Amino acid sequence: GTMKRFRRHGHESQRDKHKQDLYQFNKTVEHGFPHQPSALGFSPSLELLAIGTRSGAIKLYGTPGVEFMGLHDENAAVTQVHFLPNQVGMVTLLDDNSLHMWTLRAHNGMSELLEIGRFTLSGPPGAPPSVTRVTAVLAHSSGELLMLGTEGGHVFVVEVPGFKELEENNISVENVQNRSDIIPEDYVGRRNLECVEALHENPLNPRQVLIGYSRGLMVLWDLDRQRPIQHFLCTQQLESVWWMEDGVNILSSHSDGSYCQWTVTGEDPQTEPEKQETPYGAFPCKAISKIIQLPSKQGPPFLIFSGGMPRASYGDRHCISVIHSKFHEALDFTSRIIDYFVIREPSALVVLVEEELVVVDLQSEGWPVIQTPYLVPLHCSAITCSHHVSSIPLKLWERVQAAGAQQTTHYSRKPWPIIGGQNLSPDPPQRDLLLTGHEDGTVRFWDASGVCLYPMYKLSTAGVFLTDADPNDNMNQGSEGEWPPFRKVGCFDPYSDDPRLGIQKIHLCKYSGYLTVAGTAGQVSFDLNDEGAEQMVEATVVDLLQGQEGFRWKGQARLDVREEPVLFPPGFQPFALVQCQPPAVITAIALHSEWKLVAFGTSHGFGFYDYHQKNNIMVKCTLSPSDQVAMEGPLSRVKSIKKSLRQSFRRIRRSRVSMRKHHTTNAAKLPEINARLEAEALHEMELAPVQRKIEARSSDDSFTGLVRTLYFADTFVSDSSHSTPSLWAGTNGGAVFAYVLRVPSLERRAEDPVVAHAAKEIQLMHRAPVVGLVVLDGKGTPLPEPLEVAHDLARSPEMHGSHHLLVVSEEQFKLFTLPKVSSKSKLKLTAVDGSRVRRVGVAWFGSRTDEQLESSLVVLTNQGELHVISLPSIKMMVRYPCIRKDDVSGIASCVFTKYGQGFYLMSPSEFERFSLSTRWVVEPRCLVEAPLQMRPKNPSSPVHRDQPDGVPTEHRFTHAKDLSPNLQTQSVIDETMPHYYLKFS
């Protein structure tokens, strides 16, 4: 027996090695727009953009392909992000008042984002928390200090990167008051200065810092002499401060919608501003929360500010105003403004709002928007389904690209302005498309080949139907001479004209260019046309009830089709429409472009349509008399998981938006609120038939007739010597129906009818829903896709030796021999932990070294686990945890690719991409290096530095040593020079 045991052991280790060669699980990149962003940062020297979120994620972006992601251990919102000037480090502030230091460290020639320190201010014993609650952060240009302003009005100085408090340098409220003879009586008294709203460094002298208190007082402080130099007294509450790069002028913006300009003289008193303006004044206005003024090469400066709108009439608009010479626009955004900055020269305005990132080109006429290569809001309209197609032929790719190019004419032609870091990722080996269906009836085509999920083309199906939307209703144009001069920017628009337009299923044949799209009330086939065309769309109504008596449909009405010809732009154009009666949600779809057939299923039955001859071929009603619920159409319950989730997300958002700027009183309750809302959403979803609790399954259960999967195959159905075209359908009640099809030869295809007759019916004993059907050829390989062999992209299926039908139910994998349909082998998914199959796909795997590929099944369970199952032996190869099991919408949204990758919605606006393959992995590989150290050419010229908001600079410094806190060592401060220019000795 010893020999045997050894041999088996050797065999095992070989199999393990084989597994290691083929399979490896990685979450690789997050596509889309971060859910609930809460902070924005920018490093002009590194040219990197940072976004922090309410769940504690931090994301960095540079040149397309340069992306980093970090997560704070604390589940707290990121409230501020500050890059350390001219270094590869940044500091984040969370709403639990903790500060975190991050760096980009090179490892094996690539950079990784690491947290290298954390710190929380400690106040004197017994002091109230407001004393140390941080409200303003200044990352000093020396690169060695952080100044932290607090709610209690104090400024603490901390050494970085080590987070050591320099107590002797702290600036307390008492310090400021005791050293100031100029502060009027009514300002004195500790409570009165209130919190530190702003900390700014003099762009020309790093030893001078401006402290702005929310009550309105601003103090110019000398860091070396530790005393105030000048006071500025505002009568209104202070919102923000901007120090212009001449070092002489300061702008302050206020809660009443006004801003003031002040002159820095270095001496008191100056109690009146140089000028005071309320841009949208006359009636009470909302606060101007942030203001920037930048010189421009051509003439007058750019003035940019957020807010300031007339309270009564436009108080709910999210606006940033841009004023330059005679041009003035109030950019009207789709959601709440979180923060913004301006890049160089000024060339571009980058605005982060709650639902998208908008980049405005300030150098081109009309200030058009620049298309972003990443952070694209996938959820412009809520995503309702998705479909992935691998290895698109170049011809189709170019046609889709050309159609898309005609749609994006309104975008700026300027290149993407954020270009930091090096993208080291190899060029993607193939062209992949991800198609997403949306609630508003659009299908968006994304280039999913690489790290950046890039929009290529958008198809709208609404034009086929009569909906409440008026096609001439162009919201975008403000009327001439309107005041304020609004312009809508951004594409987030969660409101759908008609919920019945929502897209449920998509199938694209990459060889023929045929696309079929199933909506909530019918399904349309599209053909690609490079020219615009005006055409009628013919509708075929298919009665799935087949005259069943005594049922009343109480669900939605059918969408009405337009009766006049419609002009469709170049791209995919509709040529056939099938509407099921009753108009229930389409639950399954299959397209066979070689036979020119499309099959569709609902909760009542299935049928298929010949789109070459434009007629319906057959219908099968799958209802049992007990399916009363399905009949009456409570598909309002199924409406979509996404909807209930989205409502919950909106409620969460509302509860969060109502919080004050600095005081997060309900912060402690948030996790609790979230948990409650998530539980509600889950409860609502448990009602949806497809997501119902598994235990309650019996033959008289409702929705047993719901069609879960449809599959065309050329295989042996009636006898073992002749293969025939066939259609297979699997239902929620564990039934599989097979039909044999007679498809006329090519020359007779237009005249002779396609004929179908019922051939087989299988009823699984355990009646579990059938979620997948695959036919394996004589070699145990899944049949190729339609037209794949004709295009020489797959070998012909093996027609000698017997074929097998693999039926994947929620509970097991069962292999039947064809044509007899006798059970051959099965693999049960563990009944112990209640695992159920939620998603299944066929994928090809290969090692990095070997050309040979083998096919396997990829499976996702309701536990959020991924399994790879070998074919044809149906053995479990590997399993990996992937999605949290309570993330029902994440699990429901998952799609697999043909090469062992996958996508699922980790939030309403982001796809997490993962790979199960060692061979095909798409992930950011990039390098960010410290900026080069540069010295000013002319020793007597003033030192400029990059302000955090991207003021243009002549000279850049890199290392902390350039402007260390103790400047005397390196440079002489010439007391006679105005405004403390620095001279290098």
Side-chain angles (χ1 to χ4, degrees):
T2 9
M3 202 46 216
K4 228 179 193 160
R5 215 166 55 233
F6 269 122
R7 201 165 55 238
R8 195 163 67 239
H9 182 85
H11 177 71
E12 278 300 299
S13 64
Q14 200 166 350
R15 190 167 149 212
D16 286 348
K17 178 165 180 356
H18 183 63
K19 282 185 200 175
Q20 283 168 356
D21 279 351
L22 296 189
Y23 312 115
Q24 181 185 342
F25 176 68
N26 284 303
K27 290 190 178 181
T28 54
V29 59
E30 293 175 2
H31 296 300
F33 183 76
H35 183 51
Q36 299 183 323
S38 51
L40 175 70
F42 179 62
S43 164
S45 57
L46 299 173
E47 293 196 78
L48 291 181
L49 157 85
I51 292 179
T53 74
R54 293 193 207 173
S55 58
I58 179 90
K59 304 191 168 193
L60 300 189
Y61 300 88
T63 296
V66 173
E67 298 185 11
F68 298 95
M69 148 91 204
L71 196 59
H72 294 87
D73 294 339
E74 297 74 4
N75 190 7
V78 180
T79 53
Q80 297 186 35
V81 181
H82 299 274
F83 281 92
L84 299 183
N86 306 303
Q87 297 178 47
V88 287
M90 62 177 181
V91 173
T92 53
L93 171 67
L94 307 189
D95 69 0
D96 64 1
N97 206 38
S98 61
L99 287 148
H100 301 255
M101 179 69 67
W102 295 80
T103 189
L104 285 167
R105 189 170 290 162
H107 177 67
N108 295 339
M110 288 189 329
S111 300
E112 47 188 4
L113 180 61
L114 298 172
E115 182 180 350
I116 54 168
R118 58 185 63 183
F119 165 79
T120 304
L121 268 181
S122 53
S130 63
V131 169
T132 51
R133 186 170 296 128
V134 178
T135 51
V137 177
L138 169 63
H140 192 266
S141 63
S142 63
E144 300 185 355
L145 296 180
L146 278 188
M147 299 185 72
L148 308 172
T150 67
E151 200 176 287
H154 303 285
V155 177
F156 293 84
V157 182
V158 174
E159 223 173 33
V160 284
F163 282 136
K164 177 169 166 269
E165 291 189 50
L166 302 174
E167 283 176 32
E168 63 284 3
N169 294 4
N170 291 352
I171 306 165
S172 68
V173 177
E174 294 77 14
N175 255 347
V176 170
Q177 288 180 340
N178 300 346
R179 296 220 161 165
S180 315
D181 338 319
I182 190 95
I183 304 181
E185 284 302 300
D186 61 348
Y187 259 90
V188 180
R190 270 191 62 169
R191 198 47 219 107
N192 278 338
L193 293 179
E194 291 193 357
C195 80
V196 176
E197 200 66 55
L199 282 172
H200 275 269
E201 190 178 316
N202 184 336
L204 301 182
N205 177 0
R207 307 310 294 152
Q208 286 183 2
V209 170
L210 186 74
I211 309 168
Y213 299 93
S214 58
R215 176 76 194 284
L217 171 73
M218 298 189 293
V219 176
L220 182 57
W221 187 264
D222 182 319
L223 290 181
D224 293 326
R225 304 204 191 104
Q226 302 217 350
R227 67 179 183 82
I229 306 170
Q230 189 181 350
H231 296 76
F232 308 90
L233 281 170
C234 314
T235 52
Q236 289 291 339
Q237 187 158 331
L238 183 71
E239 291 283 325
S240 82
V241 168
W242 178 257
W243 201 322
M244 293 192 219
E245 57 170 32
D246 59 9
V248 183
N249 290 296
I250 289 173
L251 293 180
S252 59
S253 75
H254 302 278
S255 60
D256 64 344
S258 68
Y259 71 89
C260 301
Q261 184 169 332
W262 310 83
T263 308
V264 180
T265 56
E267 55 194 46
D268 278 332
Q270 183 208 4
T271 46
E272 293 295 307
E274 295 283 308
K275 75 167 184 190
Q276 182 163 5
E277 270 188 47
T278 309
Y280 298 112
F283 295 106
C285 290
K286 293 194 82 165
I288 289 182
S289 50
K290 177 169 175 173
I291 191 162
I292 291 178
Q293 182 168 312
L294 294 174
S296 69
K297 283 184 175 157
Q298 57 295 61
F302 273 86
L303 179 69
I304 299 173
F305 59 87
S306 51
M309 284 289 140
R311 192 175 280 280
S313 38
Y314 301 113
D316 57 345
R317 300 263 187 136
H318 311 288
C319 288
I320 292 181
S321 299
V322 183
I323 302 170
H324 177 241
S325 151
K326 58 182 190 297
F327 302 106
H328 180 159
E329 266 191 354
L331 302 172
D332 187 0
F333 292 89
T334 57
S335 49
R336 198 171 58 86
I337 293 162
I338 286 159
D339 201 355
Y340 61 94
F341 61 84
V342 175
I343 299 180
R344 294 181 305 281
E345 295 198 355
S347 67
L349 166 67
V350 178
V351 184
L352 177 66
V353 296
E354 193 137 50
E355 303 292 354
E356 56 187 315
L357 182 85
V358 178
V359 181
V360 179
D361 171 3
L362 296 177
Q363 289 181 331
S364 304
E365 195 181 338
W367 298 333
V369 166
I370 298 172
Q371 169 71 66
T372 59
Y374 38 67
L375 291 167
V376 186
L378 304 172
H379 64 313
C380 285
S381 165
I383 293 177
T384 46
C385 70
S386 38
H387 172 65
H388 185 276
V389 191
S390 302
S391 323
I392 302 284
L394 182 61
K395 181 109 201 308
L396 176 65
W397 186 264
E398 287 173 342
R399 292 176 71 191
V400 172
Q401 227 167 11
Q406 299 190 31
Q407 297 178 330
T408 55
T409 47
H410 56 285
Y411 282 115
S412 164
R413 295 273 167 250
K414 276 271 186 322
W416 181 240
I418 298 165
I419 49 171
Q422 296 162 267
N423 176 4
L424 308 175
S425 302
D427 283 339
Q430 55 194 32
R431 293 171 295 271
D432 288 358
L433 275 179
L434 180 66
L435 283 70
T436 55
H438 298 265
E439 197 174 43
D440 62 358
T442 55
V443 176
R444 291 161 204 258
F445 287 61
W446 304 89
D447 175 351
S449 324
V451 170
C452 294
L453 191 64
Y454 195 77
M456 284 180 76
Y457 168 75
K458 172 177 130 185
L459 167 68
S460 175
T461 62
V464 177
F465 305 103
L466 286 167
T467 58
D468 307 336
D470 177 1
N472 307 326
D473 191 9
N474 190 351
M475 297 293 291
N476 223 7
Q477 292 339 101
S479 50
E480 274 301 298
E482 178 190 33
W483 188 259
F486 290 119
R487 168 162 71 108
K488 275 215 170 307
V489 281
C491 66
F492 176 70
D493 177 12
Y495 306 104
S496 166
D497 298 322
D498 188 327
R500 293 174 298 172
L501 289 170
I503 305 293
Q504 299 296 327
K505 298 280 174 207
I506 303 169
H507 191 105
L508 170 68
C509 168
K510 63 186 179 188
Y511 306 112
S512 62
Y514 280 111
L515 169 71
T516 181
V517 171
T520 307
Q523 152 270 319
V524 193
S525 295
F526 291 86
D527 186 14
L528 196 50
N529 182 357
D530 303 327
E531 309 293 320
E534 189 167 33
Q535 60 200 56
M536 289 283 298
V537 180
E538 297 172 40
T540 304
V541 176
V542 174
D543 175 16
L544 286 168
L545 292 185
Q546 297 289 283
Q548 293 233 13
E549 287 304 308
F551 288 126
R552 248 180 71 240
W553 170 252
K554 296 179 188 161
Q556 58 197 8
R558 212 166 68 218
L559 271 167
D560 295 324
V561 182
R562 287 183 188 273
E563 311 223 319
E564 71 287 355
V566 180
L567 179 62
F568 293 100
F572 285 91
Q573 295 170 354
F575 67 89
L577 165 65
V578 173
Q579 290 189 298
C580 297
Q581 197 54 22
V585 171
I586 304 269
T587 54
I589 201 163
L591 170 73
H592 201 293
S593 43
E594 205 159 344
W595 304 334
K596 300 201 166 19
L597 300 175
V598 60
F600 47 88
T602 72
S603 50
H604 305 128
F606 61 93
F608 67 96
Y609 176 82
D610 173 352
Y611 62 78
H612 192 61
Q613 295 186 18
K614 297 203 180 174
N615 63 3
N616 203 57
I617 298 179
M618 61 132 284
V619 172
K620 162 79 176 163
C621 179
T622 51
L623 285 172
S624 66
S626 61
D627 265 359
Q628 194 60 35
V629 206
M631 283 315 314
E632 296 177 350
L635 269 102
S636 49
R637 289 200 314 187
V638 186
K639 29 184 183 278
S640 97
I641 294 175
K642 282 84 181 178
K643 186 152 186 196
S644 48
L645 261 180
R646 203 167 50 255
Q647 286 162 348
S648 311
F649 279 130
R650 281 196 190 134
R651 274 175 298 197
I652 293 171
R653 195 165 299 154
R654 277 202 294 275
S655 65
R656 287 179 161 181
V657 169
S658 57
M659 285 187 253
R660 281 258 338 263
K661 190 168 166 191
H662 294 309
H663 307 267
T664 41
T665 36
N666 352 11
K669 295 199 197 104
L670 267 184
E672 196 176 299
I673 297 171
N674 281 357
R676 197 180 70 238
L677 292 172
E678 235 161 81
E680 276 174 38
L682 281 171
H683 177 68
E684 284 173 48
M685 280 183 269
E686 286 295 355
L687 298 174
V690 185
Q691 299 291 344
R692 71 179 185 289
K693 289 199 167 53
I694 311 292
E695 300 76 52
R697 179 180 291 146
S698 65
S699 56
D700 62 358
D701 202 353
S702 60
F703 286 104
T704 50
L706 186 137
V707 177
R708 289 291 287 272
T709 184
L710 290 162
Y711 177 70
F712 284 110
D714 183 356
T715 186
F716 302 94
V717 186
S718 3
D719 67 72
S720 49
S721 46
H722 302 97
S723 71
T724 54
S726 61
L727 172 68
W728 300 76
T731 72
N732 229 23
V736 177
F737 301 96
Y739 279 73
V740 168
L741 316 178
R742 198 182 70 225
V743 181
S745 64
L746 265 177
E747 45 279 9
R748 304 291 306 156
R749 182 63 183 85
E751 298 80 49
D752 296 1
V754 174
V755 181
H757 59 87
K760 296 271 190 288
E761 196 171 318
I762 308 169
Q763 177 62 59
L764 299 178
M765 294 292 289
H766 59 306
R767 299 190 180 274
V770 176
V771 292
L773 294 165
V774 184
V775 169
L776 306 179
D777 71 7
K779 285 192 170 158
T781 305
L783 296 184
E785 289 174 54
L787 295 174
E788 198 174 8
V789 176
H791 283 73
D792 289 335
L793 287 158
R795 62 176 183 77
S796 296
E798 179 58 72
M799 294 318 245
H800 300 294
S802 60
H803 282 196
H804 288 90
L805 170 70
L806 174 61
V807 177
V808 181
S809 78
E810 281 193 353
E811 294 171 10
Q812 62 184 19
F813 305 83
K814 206 160 184 184
L815 208 54
F816 295 92
T817 56
L818 289 178
K820 286 196 181 66
V821 194
S822 49
S823 172
K824 183 184 177 192
S825 58
K826 68 179 178 193
L827 169 66
K828 254 193 154 70
L829 206 59
T830 59
V832 190
D833 62 359
S835 272
R836 298 287 181 263
V837 175
R838 277 284 173 262
R839 283 276 176 274
V840 62
V842 171
W844 292 94
F845 290 90
S847 70
R848 289 204 184 99
T849 46
D850 186 16
E851 282 303 289
Q852 201 55 47
L853 294 185
E854 54 186 74
S855 61
S856 310
L857 278 190
V858 184
V859 173
L860 173 71
T861 71
N862 62 340
Q863 309 286 312
E865 288 193 325
L866 292 167
H867 298 257
V868 180
I869 288 159
S870 62
L871 291 175
S873 61
I874 53 173
K875 283 196 169 62
M876 190 80 74
M877 297 301 282
V878 284
R879 62 189 266 188
Y880 305 102
C882 177
I883 309 176
R884 287 195 339 272
K885 67 166 174 254
D886 56 359
D887 182 2
V888 181
S889 76
I891 292 171
S893 64
C894 181
V895 289
F896 295 125
T897 80
K898 284 272 178 285
Y899 294 98
Q901 298 184 49
F903 300 81
Y904 67 89
L905 287 172
M906 52 183 285
S907 77
S909 56
E910 304 162 275
F911 276 112
E912 171 80 69
R913 183 182 191 127
F914 60 84
S915 174
L916 288 162
S917 166
T918 52
R919 183 152 166 185
W920 287 286
V921 182
V922 172
E923 60 186 350
R925 303 165 65 85
C926 34
L927 180 63
V928 173
E929 295 180 287
L932 291 170
Q933 185 165 355
M934 286 170 69
R935 289 260 160 183
K937 294 188 190 71
N938 168 3
S940 66
S941 71
V943 172
H944 285 272
R945 71 172 187 86
D946 272 352
Q947 290 211 357
D949 291 292
V951 172
T953 54
E954 278 30 348
H955 314 296
R956 289 186 174 174
F957 291 89
T958 325
H959 295 294
K961 288 293 157 273
D962 278 355
L963 291 170
S964 56
N966 181 3
L967 272 167
Q968 270 72 5
T969 53
Q970 271 169 294
S971 48
V972 180
I973 294 188
D974 183 343
E975 290 291 343
T976 59
M977 288 179 71
H979 315 305
Y980 301 98
Y981 282 136
L982 303 189
K983 275 202 323 210
F984 279 80
S985 42

